[in-house]
Amino acid sequence: MNRLTNLLLILFLGTNVFASSEHAHSLLEPSALLESAGYTLALAQSTELRAVDVLKNANNLRNTVNELRAKEYKAEDDTEKELLHAQVNLLAEQLQLWQNEGAQLRQLANEMKHSASELLPIGFQALWPDQLKFVGAMQLAGNDHAPMAHNTTIRSVHPTMLGKMTDGTVTETADDMTLAMPSMTGQSAPEQLNVSTFQVSRELHYFAHIEPANSDSHTIPLNTIHQWHLFLTDQNGMPVSNAQIEFSGHMPGHVHGLPTLPRVTQEMSPGLYLVDGVKFQMKGWWVIEFITKQGDINDSILFNLNL
Amino acid sequence: MKFIRWVLLALISGFTTVAANPNQFSQQDIALLKTFTLSALGALPEAPDNRWADDDAAASLGKALFYDPALSRNGTISCANCHQPEKYFTDGLPQSVALGTTKRNSPSIPNAIYGPWQFWDGRADSLWSQALKPLEDDNEHGISRIAVAQLIAEKYATEFAEIFGDEQRLADIRTLAIDASKTPVVSPEQSAAVNKVFSHVGKAIMAYERKLTLTDSKFDRFVQALETNAGNALAQDTFNETEIAGLRLFMGKGNCASCHNGPLFTNFEFHNIGAPEPDITDVDLGRYAGVETLRSSEFNCLSVYSDAVPEQCDEMNFLKTQGPELVGAFKTPSLRNVSQTAPYMQSGQLATLTDVVAHYNSPVPPYYDREQHPSRPHFDIIPLKLTEEEQAQLVSFLETLVSPLPQNNPWWFP
């Protein structure tokens, strides 16, 4: 960390974003881990905003520097040229500092997000030691080597796309197979896709974890209605009761949604909800969204599944 | 021999790309192919809405009802008119003909017993509620449920009393006026008795249909042979080169397996593949309309005639009721025995498998009429660009999915 970031951190320590003594907690409290994750994420968010700010200012400064350079180039009077030259040099030095600062803040924000996300699984386990069963990504049953995972190229196409679709199916062959399968080009999940079943909501109000309700298996069946458990806490790691939760799911790159209308059918214990009616008719990249409403707080939690 | 030919071919083609040996399948290939064989089928689906689904006495009774032409307005139409055992329970016609002509094509029943939905648009959620529709349809059996109940009281009283405990109900039904020319006056109790007996007709037929199991096809035997021969297709004589090429196309470039998958070659879901609209003046809305009929059905899983508690009716409880992907979408049909069940598509629009593959090769977007469609139908397929030869290979593969008619399965034939 450089001097400036240190300085910034110290600045943050003084702001009300930071924990005052009432936030101090014994680490034995089950909610403590999620609470600190919540704090780190809030910090990451303000750091990210600072980064955006600094980089925006740097951008403006760069434009100014470029304008001055153009002026310097055109200047006919030597003293004016020299003066402009000195200005350009000094400002360019500033620009460099600002850009570094912006980049470092951004990296710091990412590190904080990453570190918070690593806290989530153990945070949830501390809260629900008996109920929470699985921490890994959701997988389809019988899909260990994913033979069909290549095979999801059903595209909903608009007639205006017909002209573009004249290449036929693009296929690819997995290393351990000889059968070529339609490739998922254009619809496959991005490589760095976050498929964690532990997520923070868009507005940072909630933490959530999903897992198959069938405690015998961490896998979910294809083409079969099944249930999930949804664990929900607020940003302080306290279980959230009586939340109104809507479920939606779609496959990016397809126009299709889910073949059923799943919903939360029951709050089994505070913060632990039963989601019923889930069914996937296709392998591939699914995006699942829980839209939550609690008083005036509207928020949503996204999960990526790579089935 | 085959191998030498392949080596020669590979040499001639100059190994521009590393030519894969089409006759060698890997362990993962076999694992994938096994998910398409009958061995992956598993037990019949649970049927909490029909307590007699696996009752042998009900199945025998169901068989009698299935083949009984007395269950029709003119005494000549039975289920078997349109679902003929030697044609894998289809009738070979584009649209079926009985008292009138149906709107759609008759599907193969043995393929249907594993699916959550019945009919092309899935407007029934069980085989028993499905069976009741053709009985009352004017183009099919054209007989009222009261007349059905009266016939049961006359002809099948012992069986219905024994199996379903319908003795009292049948007694109530006998007190109804028999005069067919008049609409009988029916009390609420009699009406309940009629509906209950009527639902038992469906439940017996369903128990029968669940006995119509399939035997291994050439494809199933091919996958078994691959397994015994470590994936070497030259060590078997079930599939020839054309069929192997067709299989590879089906899974790959043809993209067929994305919908036609699992042991019955169907995901049982609804898609619009742009099959030609049979009648553009009266478009078929498919699943979009089917969902509405299903919800208002008096015999669905949530109804009083179902033996299930509502919590067991998962598909109904989480039914998808909206979405443009329902418009003009039809249930993916099984491809088992498909070469024996021409013509094809929901109204028999395509005569041969060659026509079907040609359709997939150069699909035309679905017909759209803003006056008739609630929204533009989604279209689920892309052109394949297969050569004539590849199309023929795909057809050859489809022809390997025939289960020999089970001559010694007493359930199958009358």
Side-chain angles (χ1 to χ4, degrees):
Chain A
M1 262 190 265
N2 76 359
R3 191 174 42 85
L4 262 177
T5 22
N6 275 330
L7 194 84
L8 263 167
L9 266 180
I10 293 163
L11 272 175
F12 274 125
L13 294 178
T15 69
N16 58 0
V17 184
F18 191 53
S20 56
S21 55
E22 74 198 45
H23 279 242
H25 41 241
S26 138
L27 277 175
L28 295 174
E29 267 175 57
S31 60
L33 292 161
L34 288 181
E35 187 180 8
S36 44
Y39 174 67
T40 309
L41 283 168
L43 206 55
Q45 196 185 39
S46 41
T47 308
E48 176 73 35
L49 288 176
R50 278 290 302 183
V52 170
D53 219 36
V54 170
L55 289 170
K56 200 171 81 197
N57 288 338
N59 239 358
N60 292 340
L61 185 58
R62 195 180 48 221
N63 291 340
T64 313
V65 169
N66 288 344
E67 277 166 29
L68 288 176
R69 276 213 176 103
K71 253 193 192 167
E72 180 198 342
Y73 181 71
K74 284 191 210 137
E76 287 172 4
D77 179 279
D78 273 354
T79 9
E80 195 192 347
K81 220 181 177 91
E82 236 165 72
L83 185 68
L84 284 168
H85 188 73
Q87 286 178 359
V88 165
N89 279 351
L90 284 171
L91 287 178
E93 214 173 277
Q94 301 289 301
L95 175 60
Q96 188 62 47
L97 287 174
W98 293 12
Q99 279 173 334
N100 287 351
E101 180 59 12
Q104 263 154 6
L105 282 172
R106 184 154 275 172
Q107 194 193 336
L108 180 63
N110 285 339
E111 276 167 22
M112 288 194 275
K113 276 191 227 161
H114 180 75
S115 131
S117 70
E118 292 198 327
L119 267 178
L120 298 189
I122 51 168
F124 272 96
Q125 280 171 306
L127 271 173
W128 279 284
D130 299 329
Q131 291 92 338
L132 194 149
K133 297 282 191 303
F134 308 112
V135 294
M138 284 234 199
Q139 282 179 330
L140 275 183
N143 199 27
D144 294 339
H145 297 276
M148 289 278 290
H150 303 266
N151 200 6
T152 63
T153 324
I154 303 173
R155 267 191 239 159
S156 293
V157 274
H158 196 271
T160 55
M161 283 170 64
L162 269 183
K164 294 186 200 145
M165 313 187 305
T166 46
D167 295 343
T169 315
V170 181
T171 60
E172 59 188 36
T173 310
D175 290 345
D176 53 359
M177 295 184 80
T178 75
L179 285 165
M181 303 284 218
S183 80
M184 299 204 302
T185 324
Q187 0 193 355
S188 54
E191 254 173 47
Q192 298 294 314
L193 186 72
N194 176 342
V195 293
S196 172
T197 57
F198 297 88
Q199 294 293 342
V200 58
S201 68
R202 200 181 47 214
E203 307 290 337
L204 305 189
H205 292 300
Y206 305 109
F207 292 116
H209 165 60
I210 47 170
E211 61 177 41
N214 175 358
S215 60
D216 301 338
S217 165
H218 69 291
T219 60
I220 52 176
L222 186 68
N223 273 330
T224 308
I225 289 187
H226 61 279
Q227 294 77 37
W228 287 359
H229 286 158
L230 167 70
F231 299 78
L232 190 67
T233 79
D234 64 14
Q235 75 268 48
N236 298 319
M238 300 308 284
V240 173
S241 278
N242 302 319
Q244 272 172 273
I245 305 167
E246 254 177 61
F247 185 111
S248 88
H250 72 280
M251 296 188 89
H254 294 245
V255 193
H256 288 279
L258 290 160
T260 53
L261 284 182
R263 61 174 183 276
V264 169
T265 52
Q266 193 189 341
E267 185 174 353
M268 303 165 67
S269 60
L272 172 50
Y273 297 85
L274 185 69
V275 186
D276 202 350
V278 191
K279 175 165 157 178
F280 297 99
Q281 79 277 42
M282 256 180 254
K283 302 184 185 222
W285 175 22
W286 284 91
V287 176
I288 300 300
E289 187 174 15
F290 290 96
I291 301 149
T292 52
K293 205 173 146 61
Q294 207 199 0
D296 340 316
I297 306 174
N298 291 307
D299 206 345
S300 87
I301 311 150
L302 268 187
F303 293 91
N304 288 291
L305 312 184
N306 205 353
L307 300 182
Chain B
M1 271 314 287
K2 276 191 204 163
F3 180 71
I4 292 175
R5 236 182 91 189
W6 172 75
V7 169
L8 282 176
L9 268 176
L11 283 175
I12 293 163
S13 70
F15 282 110
T16 40
T17 53
V18 183
N21 178 352
N23 287 315
Q24 185 59 50
F25 288 79
S26 73
Q27 283 312 309
Q28 279 312 312
D29 293 333
I30 299 173
L32 170 70
L33 293 176
K34 274 180 80 173
T35 67
F36 287 76
T37 61
L38 287 177
S39 64
L41 201 47
L44 283 163
E46 280 174 29
D49 54 340
N50 179 2
R51 202 179 299 151
W52 296 274
D54 297 310
D55 182 313
D56 279 351
S60 299
L61 171 61
K63 183 177 176 189
L65 296 169
F66 189 91
Y67 288 101
D68 189 349
L71 282 169
S72 65
R73 190 166 63 219
N74 66 2
T76 66
I77 310 295
S78 78
C79 308
N81 273 54
C82 310
H83 300 287
Q84 302 163 14
E86 63 283 4
K87 293 197 173 108
Y88 295 85
F89 295 87
T90 65
D91 59 10
L93 299 171
Q95 290 144 3
S96 300
V97 181
L99 297 180
T101 303
T102 60
K103 187 171 161 190
R104 302 220 180 100
N105 172 265
S106 166
S108 172
I109 297 178
N111 293 333
I113 59 186
Y114 278 82
W117 311 114
Q118 301 302 328
F119 292 123
W120 286 92
D121 55 7
R123 68 184 182 280
D125 65 342
S126 66
L127 286 164
W128 68 267
S129 67
Q130 185 285 326
L132 304 178
K133 303 255 182 174
L135 291 173
E136 290 192 298
D137 189 314
D138 281 343
N139 290 324
E140 305 184 45
H141 299 246
I143 183 175
S144 74
R145 64 186 69 175
I146 294 177
V148 170
Q150 286 174 329
L151 181 91
I152 299 297
E154 230 172 83
K155 196 170 169 184
Y156 294 99
T158 327
E159 292 90 334
F160 273 67
E162 230 161 64
I163 298 168
F164 300 112
D166 279 339
E167 210 153 3
Q168 185 54 48
R169 291 185 197 101
L170 294 175
D172 290 348
I173 288 162
R174 279 192 204 95
T175 63
L176 280 166
I178 310 279
D179 186 350
S181 65
K182 289 197 204 114
T183 319
V185 186
V186 190
S187 72
E189 296 76 44
Q190 284 167 326
S191 166
V194 165
N195 282 345
K196 192 84 180 171
V197 168
F198 192 51
S199 73
H200 290 159
V201 170
K203 288 178 184 179
I205 291 177
M206 170 170 173
Y208 166 58
E209 290 167 323
R210 280 163 70 96
K211 300 287 186 189
L212 302 175
T213 50
L214 297 170
T215 53
D216 279 350
S217 68
K218 206 159 130 174
F219 164 74
D220 301 292
R221 286 183 282 115
F222 171 67
V223 179
Q224 287 157 15
L226 280 186
E227 213 178 3
T228 10
N229 296 305
N232 180 3
L234 296 171
Q236 57 83 42
D237 52 10
T238 324
F239 261 25
N240 62 29
E241 284 167 59
T242 314
E243 291 159 340
I244 292 176
L247 165 66
R248 290 184 178 275
L249 288 168
F250 186 88
M251 300 293 168
K253 230 162 115 183
N255 200 13
C256 315
S258 47
C259 298
H260 296 282
N261 55 41
L264 293 170
F265 289 80
T266 168
N267 60 2
F268 292 116
E269 284 300 331
F270 300 89
H271 302 279
N272 189 331
I273 58 151
E277 189 67 52
D279 177 2
I280 57 168
T281 64
D282 181 16
V283 299
D284 196 333
L285 294 180
R287 183 61 171 166
Y288 184 87
V291 161
E292 278 319 306
T293 319
L294 175 63
R295 291 213 306 182
S296 57
S297 161
E298 32 176 342
F299 295 109
N300 66 31
C301 182
L302 296 169
S303 71
V304 291
Y305 303 105
S306 157
D307 300 317
V309 292
E311 293 73 49
Q312 290 172 302
C313 305
D314 276 347
E315 293 286 359
M316 289 303 294
N317 289 332
F318 303 102
L319 184 67
K320 179 171 186 138
T321 54
Q322 273 169 355
E325 63 263 47
L326 304 182
V327 178
F330 295 94
K331 188 174 69 179
T332 308
S334 167
L335 298 181
R336 292 256 167 208
N337 306 308
V338 72
S339 63
Q340 309 300 302
T341 61
Y344 303 107
M345 302 302 165
Q346 87 273 10
S347 296
Q349 303 98 300
L350 301 178
T352 64
L353 287 176
T354 306
D355 296 342
V356 172
V357 173
H359 165 77
Y360 281 111
N361 207 40
S362 327
V364 180
Y367 177 74
Y368 173 52
D369 175 358
R370 61 175 73 230
E371 297 291 311
Q372 296 186 70
H373 288 102
S375 66
R376 184 184 285 278
H378 274 299
F379 184 35
D380 278 339
I381 49 170
I382 47 173
L384 300 175
K385 288 250 153 172
L386 301 179
T387 63
E388 294 281 321
E389 189 192 10
E390 286 171 322
Q391 294 179 52
Q393 289 166 337
L394 203 42
V395 171
S396 297
F397 169 68
L398 294 174
E399 288 167 351
T400 68
L401 302 177
V402 180
S403 298
L405 281 173
Q407 299 299 347
N408 41 17
N409 177 350
W411 293 105
W412 195 282
F413 296 98

